[in-house]
Amino acid sequence: MFMDCHHIATIQHIRSFRSCPHATGPSMANGDRVRISRSTLAGRQPRHRRAFQVELTGRTWPAAALRESGEVYHSLFSGMPEGVALSEILYDERGEAHDYRILDVNPAYEAIFGVTRAEAVGNNGSELYGTGFLSYLETYARVVATGEPATFDFETTFRPAQRRSFTITALATGNGRFATVFEDITERKRFEQQFWQAQKMEEIGRLTAGVAHDFNNLLTPIIGYSDLVLDRVRDQPNITADIEEIKKAGERASQLTRQLLAFGRKQLLVPQVLDLNQVVGNLAKMLSRIVSEDIHVDIVAAPSLGRTKADPGQIEQLVINLVVNAHDAMPQGGTLTIETANAVLGPAFVRRHVGSQPGHYVSLVVKDTGCGMAPEVLAHVFEPFFTTKGPGKGTGLGLSMVYGLVKQSGGYIMVESSPGVGTTVTMYLPTVDDPVESAAAGPQCVQTLEGTETILLVEDDAGVCSLMRKVLERYSYTVLSTQDAGDAIAIDDSYRGAIHLLVTDMIMPGLSGPDLAQRIVRRRPAIKVLFVSGYRSREVIDLGVSSQNASFLQKPFRPETLATKVRECLDHHVG
Ligand SMILES: Nc1ncnc2c1ncn2[C@@H]1O[C@H](COP(=O)(O)OP(=O)(O)OP(=O)(O)O)[C@@H](O)[C@H]1O
Ligand SMILES: [Mg+2]
């Protein structure tokens, strides 16, 4: 049965008028009043002996209006996107609520719970949904007793394949009855989770990049001094072997910090306009060395693929990481698909994917038919050091690096996975209109690493500064060095001879590397600049590598790399 609020109000009045023989009840919507009178009937049960005569005073209540009102409420009830159930509390002989009975449900409710109206109506909550569901009974009974509505969150487990979250509002409708309204909040919850996840990744990224930056300052002298000492003890094999070990450990650590910087979006990238099909095509040749024979590799390259701007070496590394993961997920073999496509991310996509931006992209998809991931694993895949692989089998940095690189390249990445079905990683990289650049010109062929030019070296880390000075002096340069940017300006002022190259750290207390460079370049326009940094900062993009006169060297570096880079800078003629 379906009741509208007028019926309910009338019934409530009937209850309150039990004690008086005649009373005038509530006004109806059209101003008519209800007259209620009590009469006593014969019967066994005292409560059955009483009956109420309810009559409308004034003009007769028009049947059509009543019907219309009922129809309006009924169409509202049936058409609501929220699931609604009308139920009544069942009390035991002690007057305590022990269950509730469903009186009516709307179509949205049928869809949520996967029951038909016929199955639900007339049945008790415990019969339909098990006694576990009675945990809500106390709330419903309180709502009915106090008339105060209650709201709480709830997750359906009736259809696990479509786990959904709801906010339930329970409202008293009078006479021991109540309505429960189920609002689907699954999408909102998913969005909130994505938001918190993005926030968390941002924080871990900052922390990671900070640690990696400081580590680079420590690793530079470890690797550098090992090299310097090795040169001096070449004739003492037992010492050489030990120092080689120190150097190897330093280099392994430096590999690790590079991955951390990649995750923190602070690695040095040399972006170039690329055709992803070309990158994937080049890689395809070496894939057979990564994946085993029982894995079928399918490469689907989109024709007329747009171009994107990214670091080709890093993109290759990214695809290799994903291919290795896919390979590990398919120990019994399967299919690995690498697919490129043009994609447009519209407002609907952006609304559903926190961190994505609308626009034109090229997509790169790496898909496997492997073991897939449970939602608990999927939620953590991008976090550094998260791995489910045994000790020595995975560091948990593969996807972190991929995530950082895609973000640093202005793109968006997502992973979809189902246990037993497989995993699909999709990356979107923004398209650019510029023509594809030819492969990056490799390091120029440097004839000799030695030089007689004068170098102004500014590096605030004492260990790194003295190492760099030693290295450069070994290659015969005249080195003016300082750990302080202010001193560097003083040296520049007072030095009467030519200074050919400024080698400066990017981030220093006081004046930053780019600011210092700007001031010195103003006075000595011919000076070349080499920025050195543990990580790539925004300034490098603004002033550093983009400037014709400047180059960039990432820490940690080997002495020979520093010497090569210095020689390259000095030999590079502007214009
Ligand atoms: N294609 C995939 N199928 C199933 N699980 C995957 C897949 N890719 C990643 N994972 C899960 O995500 C975890 C993290 O992956 P990630 O690449 O970051 O680290 P790793 O592969 O464990 O180690 P590393 O890449 O550093 O060698 C993996 O340990 C695995 O549990
Ligand atoms: Mg991996």
Side-chain angles (χ1 to χ4, degrees), residues 417-439:
S417 190
S418 309
V421 179
T423 301
T424 305
V425 182
T426 309
M427 278 148 298
Y428 296 97
L429 295 169
T431 49
V432 292
D433 290 330
D434 311 319
V436 171
E437 291 168 40
S438 55

Side-chain angles (χ1 to χ4, degrees), residues 326 330 335-339 365-370 422-425:
M330 297 188 285
T335 302
L336 164 70
T337 312
I338 303 178
E339 196 174 344
V365 175
V366 179
K367 186 172 163 187
D368 66 60
T369 54
T423 301
T424 305
V425 182

Side-chain angles (χ1 to χ4, degrees), residues 321 324-325 389 398-399:
N321 280 344
V324 170
N325 281 351
K389 298 172 187 173
L399 283 178

Side-chain angles (χ1 to χ4, degrees), residues 222 226 229-230 233 236-250:
I222 292 175
S226 305
V229 177
L230 274 173
V233 294
Q236 299 169 60
N238 43 354
I239 302 180
T240 313
D242 290 352
I243 297 170
E244 289 280 8
E245 286 306 314
I246 296 174
K247 193 176 138 191
K248 260 194 259 169

Side-chain angles (χ1 to χ4, degrees), residues 472-514:
L472 293 172
E473 283 175 348
R474 253 186 62 204
Y475 287 96
S476 309
Y477 293 102
T478 302
V479 184
L480 313 166
S481 71
T482 171
Q483 284 173 242
D484 181 273
D487 279 355
I489 296 195
I491 296 173
D492 176 60
D493 272 350
S494 58
Y495 193 74
R496 291 289 144 242
I499 301 179
H500 303 89
L501 174 69
L502 166 70
V503 179
T504 175
D505 194 9
M506 287 293 302
I507 299 153
M508 296 177 290
L511 212 54
S512 76

Side-chain angles (χ1 to χ4, degrees), residues 174-204:
N175 206 25
R177 294 175 175 181
F178 63 99
T180 34
V181 182
F182 295 75
E183 184 197 355
D184 192 334
I185 54 162
T186 315
E187 285 302 305
R188 195 175 80 207
K189 271 206 149 168
R190 211 178 54 82
F191 186 82
E192 277 170 11
Q193 258 162 9
Q194 276 192 8
F195 180 79
W196 291 121
Q197 183 78 5
Q199 198 101 331
K200 186 174 74 180
M201 297 300 276
E202 194 67 28
E203 275 160 29
I204 308 177

Side-chain angles (χ1 to χ4, degrees), residues 303-316:
S304 13
L305 186 69
R307 294 170 300 279
T308 187
K309 195 164 186 181
D311 186 318
Q314 295 296 318
I315 294 284
E316 278 186 9

Side-chain angles (χ1 to χ4, degrees), residues 259 321-330 366-368 370-374 377-378 380-390 392-402 415 417 422-425:
Q259 285 174 290
N321 280 344
L322 296 176
V323 167
V324 170
N325 281 351
H327 167 263
D328 291 351
M330 297 188 285
V366 179
K367 186 172 163 187
D368 66 60
C371 59
M373 286 175 257
V377 173
L378 191 58
H380 297 286
V381 281
F382 291 131
E383 289 168 19
F385 302 111
F386 175 82
T387 180
T388 56
K389 298 172 187 173
K393 295 218 174 101
T395 52
L397 286 172
L399 283 178
S400 315
M401 175 257 161
V402 170
V415 185
S417 190
T423 301
T424 305
V425 182

